[in-house]
Amino acid sequence: MKTTLLSQKRAMKHLPKTLLGLAIISAMGSAQAESFNRIATWSVKDNLPTNLAQSTETSAEIITASKDGNTLIYSDSPLGGLGFIDIKNANAPKAAGFLALDGEPTSVSTTKKYALTGVNTSASYTAPSGKLSAIDLNTHKEIRSCDLGGQPDSVAVSKDEKFVAIAIENERDEDLNDGAMPQYPAGNLVILPLDQGLPVCAQKKMVDLRGLAKVAPTDPEPEFVDFNDANEIVVTLQENNHLVVVDAASGKILSHFPAGAVNLNNVDLKEERALTFDGQQVQRKREPDAVQWLDNDRFVTANEGDFEGGSRGFTIFNKQGDVLFESGLELEYRMAMAGHYPDKRSGNKGVEPEGLEVASFNGETYIFVLAERAGLVGVYKDTGAKPEFVQLLPSGIAPEGAIAIPGRNLFVTANEKDLIEDKGPRSHVMIYQRSQKAAAYPQIESVMNGERPLGWGALSGLVSDTKQSKKFYAVNDSFYRNQASIFTIDASTTPAKIISALPVLRDGLPAQKLDLEGITNDGKGGFWVASEGRTDRLTPHAIYNINKKGEIKKEIPFPAELLAVEKRFGAEGITRIGDTLWIAIQRQWKDDPKNTTKLVSYNTKTKEWGAVRYPTQESKKGWVGLSEITAHGDWVYIIERDNQIDDNAKIKRLYKVAVSQLKPAKLGSKLPLVKKELAHDFIPNLKEGNGYVTDKIEGFAIDSKGVGFALTDNDGVDDSSGETLFFTIGKM
């Protein structure tokens, strides 16, 4: 699907004035504007030493690049070393080795010949220690080590390679007195001169940062450092809500000031399995984490927060302490409209802007804001005043570090989360390229609902409008158990737009105990939906008839004959053929032979139940089940998928069964086995965005012109990248 100015103008009518100005700027320049698109995803496990099992936890946290832009270097905290990636061919990154260090690497930066990394060797919170190690980029050997006198965090090298600065955090014990400050010893800033890229240990300067902040002045905890061209260092004291500017040559403090606070209105503050955006935080401390200079006078902070703050946005200051721009909730709202709002972090810091990168591409300065909990990067252009929003980049789980390589038109993120213990996605490094191609992500987003974003996620079932092409309805699953909704999707724009949400109601109140996994039209302006039951959670296996106002008019529980053989994984899709509803059961129940499941029927006129048996593919790993059923013409189309991700994902397919085979037998009797034909393999579609393949492709519908559309479930951004793919597979 191509981005057009017309489609963007259609989308603009849904935006409030607070976002409309930025949208107009983006649309007017879209015909010739350059965008970033992901071109490669590399799994950090591929750099594990051969003597370690592939199941070993490993992570890319802070990432940098060699000066020629051909090698990436990242800190791996759980594995205790540095990893190297060969990106001479940026589309096909290769493992280039791992170097174990005597301690925990916290950050890494480079000179022409060396990687300089801070290594935490602390015995305890009260006895912090650490060193700065210089690693030869060619031999991967440690050349020099300087004692830092404390626990390091961020490391930065000046552009002229005259200095290296290290934030000595000496972090507090968050289990001691609920993490209350002060906790000693205090942190500080260390500056070392460089000689031909190597630190001169004997000339170490320690800059005392005590007595500056109003918050815990005796216990500064510097978090992040960065140099401008004048060799001035900006330091964030995150927990202290303070900023300091230091002259590198002399170690003199040039200025310091509080990071301040913001008032947040219409913010989601409750982890209630619903997206409400109806709270308020007055004078919420910014507590900046990462910081990057924009020029010699201005810098930008990512306000992730920690101790008692976190304003969920980013701020531009000058070095005198004036706030030149405050994003407020604008970035969080954009991420919510892309389906990436993490409700499980509502009570803390929302999308949690944490990392930053600033770089100039062909004379245009870009600001990249990494939202750790949203799995997104917000990209903005620096205008000297209010930044211009450019796009959102999908970035795996927990983007922590980033590096831009303007000479190669590349941008790279390091995503630290390794979910190997939960059999989830591994840590990844993702590479993006700037070109004149239109932004490929998001493929679906919502609109503003007055002054609040229309929140959504965990889309699990899809049906087309019976009359209007490219119009669809989707439901969310039990992740949003307190906000079951039917969403209207306009797919005539790029990206597709979720233009409204219809709450599912029972007696006028939000319906509870639902796990909506399928939706179909009832032929009367309303819908039938299928709810996957969980008896252990008192969620019934049932189908429901919902009118156009969202009210449940009929609740039809599964019959006793079916519940007698129940297993946990129930209804995953529903479709209607005349007076008969067909429900796809995800996996085999107690009476199903191996590698089969049921298609269950319910006749809305006669109230009779029946079923046929459906054969599922055999999988070498995990399980295979159904996740959607859609009737169209003489066929029903069924999504069959395994529960595997990334390289292990093999079965993400669309099969079709002739309607003539759907002759249900009585429940409990011998069920006829239907024959299926392969209609489409979704794996190539799921790889098109150059991310890792997710497990849950759950929605499929065919519009009134016979065009098929598919949808993935992002699990409510819970241990998930948050990416929702919505794409067409063409005429059926």
Side-chain angles (χ1 to χ4, degrees):
M1 291 183 283
K2 300 292 186 182
T3 301
T4 65
L5 188 57
L6 177 60
S7 67
Q8 290 190 342
K9 284 180 177 177
R10 283 185 190 142
M12 284 182 212
K13 68 182 180 181
H14 302 296
L15 292 174
K17 293 180 180 178
T18 53
L19 296 180
L20 183 58
L22 289 178
I24 292 173
I25 292 173
S26 297
M28 294 299 289
S30 64
Q32 296 180 346
E34 298 204 338
S35 301
F36 292 87
N37 282 300
R38 186 169 52 197
I39 60 170
T41 290
W42 182 83
S43 183
V44 179
K45 66 177 173 54
D46 292 343
N47 228 355
L48 281 166
T50 55
N51 64 323
L52 295 178
Q54 284 286 293
S55 58
T56 304
E57 183 183 0
T58 184
S59 171
E61 187 173 0
I62 302 302
I63 195 162
T64 189
S66 58
K67 297 305 179 183
D68 63 8
N70 290 328
T71 303
L72 298 174
I73 307 100
Y74 61 88
S75 62
D76 189 329
S77 174
L79 207 58
L82 294 183
F84 300 83
I85 311 170
D86 178 354
I87 60 164
K88 293 184 184 70
N89 180 355
N91 296 85
K94 296 179 181 179
F98 178 82
L99 173 66
L101 297 168
D102 184 20
E104 174 198 9
T106 58
S107 182
V108 62
S109 190
T110 58
T111 63
K112 291 179 182 178
K113 297 181 180 179
Y114 306 101
L116 304 183
T117 181
V119 182
N120 178 18
T121 59
S122 302
S124 67
Y125 290 107
T126 56
S129 63
K131 62 181 181 178
L132 181 72
S133 292
I135 311 300
D136 188 294
L137 288 172
N138 290 320
T139 65
H140 296 180
K141 293 182 179 179
E142 186 178 67
I143 303 300
R144 185 171 297 176
S145 176
C146 301
D147 178 62
L148 295 173
Q151 172 250 316
D153 197 336
S154 170
V155 174
V157 172
S158 63
K159 295 179 180 65
D160 59 10
E161 296 194 8
K162 289 185 177 180
F163 302 98
V164 58
I166 308 99
I168 306 299
E169 184 177 10
N170 292 344
E171 63 184 353
R172 70 190 189 281
D173 182 353
E174 296 190 17
D175 293 327
L176 178 63
N177 298 327
D178 294 325
M181 299 170 73
Q183 290 184 22
Y184 304 110
N188 56 68
L189 172 69
V190 167
I191 305 169
L192 290 164
L194 297 175
D195 181 12
Q196 298 183 33
L198 286 172
V200 183
C201 303
Q203 296 182 31
K204 176 179 70 177
K205 290 187 182 71
M206 190 279 284
V207 180
D208 189 352
L209 302 173
R210 292 175 296 177
L212 304 180
K214 291 182 179 179
V215 178
T218 60
D219 182 24
E221 292 190 18
E223 187 81 22
F224 215 95
V225 291
D226 192 46
F227 282 91
N228 65 12
D229 291 339
N231 283 342
E232 295 169 335
I233 305 164
V234 59
V235 188
T236 59
L237 309 184
Q238 181 177 336
E239 289 83 353
N240 311 86
N241 193 42
H242 209 75
L243 295 155
V244 184
V245 179
V246 178
D247 175 66
S250 65
K252 179 183 177 181
I253 294 175
L254 302 176
S255 63
H256 69 91
F257 42 87
V262 295
N263 293 326
L264 301 178
N265 296 305
N266 294 327
V267 60
D268 197 334
L269 299 177
K270 296 180 181 178
E271 297 168 17
E272 68 217 297
R273 296 301 182 96
L275 301 175
T276 53
F277 304 101
D278 58 359
Q280 183 181 54
Q281 286 182 324
V282 178
Q283 289 296 288
R284 180 74 168 178
K285 292 184 178 70
R286 291 191 173 93
E287 292 195 0
D289 191 333
V291 63
Q292 292 277 294
W293 288 94
L294 289 168
D295 51 37
N296 283 347
D297 186 60
R298 299 175 303 136
F299 55 80
V300 58
T301 64
N303 306 319
E304 183 242 6
D306 192 7
F307 184 45
E308 57 180 50
S311 60
R312 308 185 181 212
F314 65 97
T315 310
I316 297 175
F317 296 88
N318 63 22
K319 60 189 178 186
Q320 291 76 41
D322 300 316
V323 174
L324 306 179
F325 171 77
E326 168 57 50
S327 72
L329 292 170
E330 188 259 351
L331 177 63
E332 182 157 283
Y333 279 9
R334 288 189 183 276
M335 293 182 172
M337 289 189 290
H340 281 253
Y341 182 79
D343 183 62
K344 281 193 172 182
R345 299 297 295 177
S346 290
N348 297 298
K349 296 162 282 187
V351 299
E352 296 192 27
E354 182 169 4
L356 280 172
E357 174 66 324
V358 169
S360 293
F361 290 78
N362 294 333
E364 294 182 313
T365 299
Y366 287 83
I367 303 168
F368 302 89
V369 186
L370 281 63
E372 180 185 13
R373 300 291 177 168
L376 285 175
V377 179
V379 184
Y380 291 79
K381 280 184 187 177
D382 177 32
T383 66
K386 185 176 184 178
E388 174 190 336
F389 175 74
V390 177
Q391 65 184 117
L392 297 174
L393 296 177
S395 182
I397 302 179
E400 179 79 9
I403 186 70
I405 309 174
R408 298 187 62 192
N409 269 330
L410 299 178
F411 172 71
V412 180
T413 63
N415 306 288
E416 67 172 334
K417 199 77 168 178
D418 187 343
L419 295 173
I420 183 61
E421 290 188 3
D422 297 324
K423 298 181 180 180
R426 307 301 300 266
S427 172
H428 288 94
V429 170
M430 295 186 175
I431 303 175
Y432 311 80
Q433 186 174 57
R434 183 175 181 260
S435 71
Q436 291 189 338
K437 293 181 180 179
Y441 193 85
Q443 295 179 351
I444 184 171
E445 61 184 8
S446 69
V447 298
M448 290 292 288
N449 182 14
E451 294 301 312
R452 304 171 185 173
L454 194 166
W456 63 278
L459 301 183
S460 55
L462 189 69
V463 68
S464 65
D465 188 84
T466 56
K467 297 179 180 178
Q468 187 174 335
S469 66
K470 297 185 178 181
K471 184 177 181 181
F472 299 89
Y473 306 95
V475 289
N476 54 4
D477 65 25
S478 62
F479 185 87
Y480 301 105
R481 62 176 63 104
N482 292 319
Q483 198 177 37
S485 302
I486 298 173
F487 299 94
T488 300
I489 301 171
D490 176 5
S492 67
T493 67
T494 304
K497 290 286 183 183
I498 297 176
I499 58 175
S500 65
L502 179 68
V504 177
L505 306 173
R506 185 184 278 115
D507 299 325
L509 298 174
Q512 305 292 306
K513 298 181 180 179
L514 296 177
D515 183 7
L516 302 185
E517 295 286 352
I519 180 172
T520 192
N521 301 291
D522 70 355
K524 301 175 183 178
F527 305 94
W528 284 98
V529 297
S531 180
E532 183 178 19
R534 282 287 300 269
T535 300
D536 58 337
R537 295 182 181 177
L538 302 180
T539 301
H541 294 275
I543 56 177
Y544 300 86
N545 190 208
I546 300 172
N547 67 16
K548 61 183 178 181
K549 294 182 180 180
E551 279 282 353
I552 293 176
K553 304 308 291 185
K554 293 179 183 178
E555 177 178 351
I556 302 174
F558 277 15
E561 304 97 305
L562 201 53
L563 294 177
V565 293
E566 171 201 10
K567 280 191 176 180
R568 171 185 164 188
F569 300 95
E572 279 284 324
I574 188 170
T575 195
R576 183 175 64 87
I577 302 175
D579 294 331
T580 301
L581 298 171
W582 285 93
I583 302 117
I585 304 300
Q586 186 186 69
R587 292 165 60 184
Q588 69 180 65
W589 280 14
K590 294 175 184 177
D591 62 334
D592 293 320
K594 186 179 179 181
N595 297 325
T596 69
T597 186
K598 295 183 186 72
L599 304 180
V600 174
S601 67
Y602 175 75
N603 188 294
T604 58
K605 295 292 186 183
T606 66
K607 312 294 191 289
E608 292 178 322
W609 289 86
V612 297
R613 203 173 301 287
Y614 177 92
T616 56
Q617 297 298 112
E618 188 171 358
S619 176
K620 294 180 180 179
K621 287 189 176 182
W623 52 259
V624 173
L626 311 185
S627 60
E628 179 68 287
I629 182 169
T630 298
H632 180 72
D634 295 332
W635 303 90
V636 290
Y637 293 84
I638 295 166
I639 291 181
E640 194 172 331
R641 67 170 182 89
D642 57 25
N643 66 334
Q644 301 299 298
I645 58 174
D646 211 353
D647 295 338
N648 292 324
K650 305 298 181 186
I651 301 172
K652 316 289 182 186
R653 300 173 187 169
L654 185 70
Y655 286 95
K656 63 180 182 178
V657 173
V659 171
S660 60
Q661 292 191 67
L662 299 182
K663 297 178 180 178
K666 185 178 179 181
L667 292 173
S669 68
K670 184 178 179 180
L671 303 180
L673 182 69
V674 301
K675 294 181 180 180
K676 65 184 184 181
E677 297 178 29
L678 180 64
H680 186 79
D681 185 353
F682 289 116
I683 292 285
N685 303 105
L686 300 177
K687 288 183 175 180
E688 281 183 359
N690 297 308
Y692 65 86
V693 175
T694 58
D695 60 330
K696 293 186 177 180
I697 180 161
E698 295 209 354
F700 181 75
I702 301 170
D703 77 357
S704 61
K705 290 188 176 180
V707 178
F709 286 76
L711 180 72
T712 63
D713 176 357
N714 74 354
D715 280 333
V717 208
D718 183 26
D719 286 344
S720 161
S721 68
E723 295 180 34
T724 296
L725 303 183
F726 180 73
F727 55 89
T728 177
I729 61 171
K731 195 89 168 178
M732 301 303 298

